[in-house]
Amino acid sequence: MKMIKVLAIDDEPLALQQLTAYIQKVPFLELVEACQSAMDATKVMEREVIDAIFVDINMPDLNGMDFVKSLVVLPLVVFTTAYSEYAVEGYKVDAVDYLLKPFGLQEFQRAAMKVKTRLEERSSVPSPPAPEEDDILFLKTDYKVVRVNISEIRYVEGMSEYVKFFLEGQKPLVVLLSMKKLEERLPSSAFMRIHRSYIVNLTKIREVNKNRVIMDAETYLPIGENYREAFSSYLDSKFLGKK
C-alpha cells in the first residue's frame, strides 16, 4: 500500500501532539512533519510533496482557511477547529472532511479513510493523452521562428528551394525547405502530395473536378500524372455511392 504523506498543522502544542498521535495510529498515513504554524507548513511543502494536510483553522498570523486558499498546489484538506461555524466555508474550498474539536480517534480514522478514498479515486481517473509530437511545426521565416499547428495547414506549394505554407486565417509563410523533407514530416494520414509542387491537407479539400483539387472558390490545384494513381486510390477508399 502506498503511504499517504501528510502534515499536521496546529498552533496549540497539546492539540498538535494529539493529532500527531492519531496520524501515527493509521497504518496508511505517513507523518512528514508536525507544524505549529502555516508558515512552517509552507516551508515543508516547498521541499516535500504532500498528499494531505490536517490543519487547524484558528491560528495566529495566517489562519488555516486563508493558508489553504493561498496554496497553488492544493493537497487534500481536513480542517480541525473548535468552532462549528467554519464548516460551510471549509466545504467551499473542497475540504475532504471537517473535524470539530474535541474529536476522538474513531472520528479521525473516518476522516483518514475519506482522504484515502479520494486519493484512490484520483489515481483511477485516466490521465489525458499527451499531445502528439506531430501536432505542431516550428518554421523559421523572416528571421523568426513561428509555431504552426499542423491541422491549420491547408496546402503547401513548392517553389524551388522554398515552400509556401497556406494556413487557415493567416498570411502564407515562406520557408527555406525541400518538399521531400516536408512530405516526410507531415502525417500521411492527413496530407498527400498531389503534384510535384503541391501537398494538400486532405481534410480541407472541398471538391475534386477532373484533374484538379478545389480548395476554395479561388484555389484550384493540379493533380500531377505521377501522383494521380495514389490520389485516386485515396478517393476510392472514401467514396460512398455510385460512380
Side-chain angles (χ1 to χ4, degrees):
M1 180 189 301
K2 179 183 178 297
M3 297 295 286
I4 299 171
K5 294 187 175 183
V6 303
L7 289 184
I9 311 168
D10 199 310
D11 66 304
E12 298 176 9
L14 291 178
L16 185 60
Q17 184 178 346
Q18 184 187 55
L19 185 56
T20 298
Y22 285 168
I23 290 172
Q24 291 170 340
K25 290 180 182 294
V26 178
F28 52 80
L29 296 184
E30 177 186 340
L31 179 64
V32 175
E33 198 158 329
C35 305
Q36 284 193 272
S37 72
M39 300 301 180
D40 290 342
T42 300
K43 293 175 183 177
V44 177
M45 294 176 72
E46 287 174 353
R47 65 174 190 267
E48 295 272 359
V49 176
I50 301 300
D51 299 311
I53 58 175
F54 293 83
V55 55
D56 184 27
I57 292 179
N58 298 92
M59 294 189 295
D61 298 328
L62 181 63
N63 70 48
M65 189 69 66
D66 291 337
F67 167 62
V68 169
K69 290 177 180 179
S70 73
L71 294 174
V72 176
V73 179
L74 186 64
L76 297 182
V77 178
V78 176
F79 283 118
T80 66
T81 186
Y83 301 94
S84 59
E85 66 265 23
Y86 285 108
V88 173
E89 191 175 356
Y91 286 111
K92 286 182 181 179
V93 296
D94 197 27
V96 175
D97 206 351
Y98 178 93
L99 293 171
L100 185 61
K101 295 178 179 180
F103 53 87
L105 178 59
Q106 286 189 339
E107 292 171 281
F108 179 84
Q109 288 174 328
R110 283 195 292 268
M113 281 302 301
K114 289 181 182 180
V115 169
K116 183 174 182 289
T117 300
R118 183 78 69 89
L119 284 174
E120 288 172 347
E121 289 172 351
R122 282 185 180 181
S123 63
S124 67
V125 177
S127 300
E132 293 288 340
E133 291 184 1
D134 286 344
D135 284 350
I136 61 170
L137 293 174
F138 284 96
L139 304 176
K140 189 173 183 180
T141 178
D142 294 334
Y143 306 103
K144 61 185 176 182
V145 176
V146 179
R147 171 182 166 145
V148 171
N149 292 330
I150 287 180
S151 60
E152 295 177 351
I153 300 172
R154 297 178 62 239
Y155 66 95
V156 181
E157 180 182 1
M159 305 182 299
S160 185
E161 297 178 343
Y162 293 83
V163 293
K164 190 174 187 179
F165 288 81
F166 292 83
L167 309 170
E168 293 280 2
Q170 303 177 46
K171 292 182 179 180
L173 297 176
V174 178
V175 179
L176 180 61
L177 184 66
S178 71
M179 287 287 280
K180 178 176 174 54
K181 186 173 182 180
L182 177 61
E183 188 177 8
E184 292 172 351
R185 177 65 179 82
L186 292 172
S188 59
S189 58
F191 290 84
M192 181 176 287
R193 193 165 183 175
I194 61 167
H195 187 275
R196 181 170 58 88
S197 300
Y198 294 102
I199 297 173
V200 298
N201 185 336
L202 298 167
T203 67
K204 308 293 184 183
I205 294 174
R206 177 180 293 184
E207 186 178 332
V208 179
N209 190 335
K210 296 182 181 179
N211 293 325
R212 297 182 301 180
V213 170
I214 301 173
M215 304 301 290
D216 55 47
E218 300 176 352
T219 308
Y220 296 72
L221 306 180
I223 302 172
E225 185 65 34
N226 294 336
Y227 303 91
R228 185 171 291 120
E229 184 177 350
F231 186 65
S232 295
S233 296
Y234 165 76
L235 290 181
D236 288 343
S237 72
K238 301 295 183 183
F239 195 88
L240 185 65
K242 296 181 179 180
K243 290 187 178 181

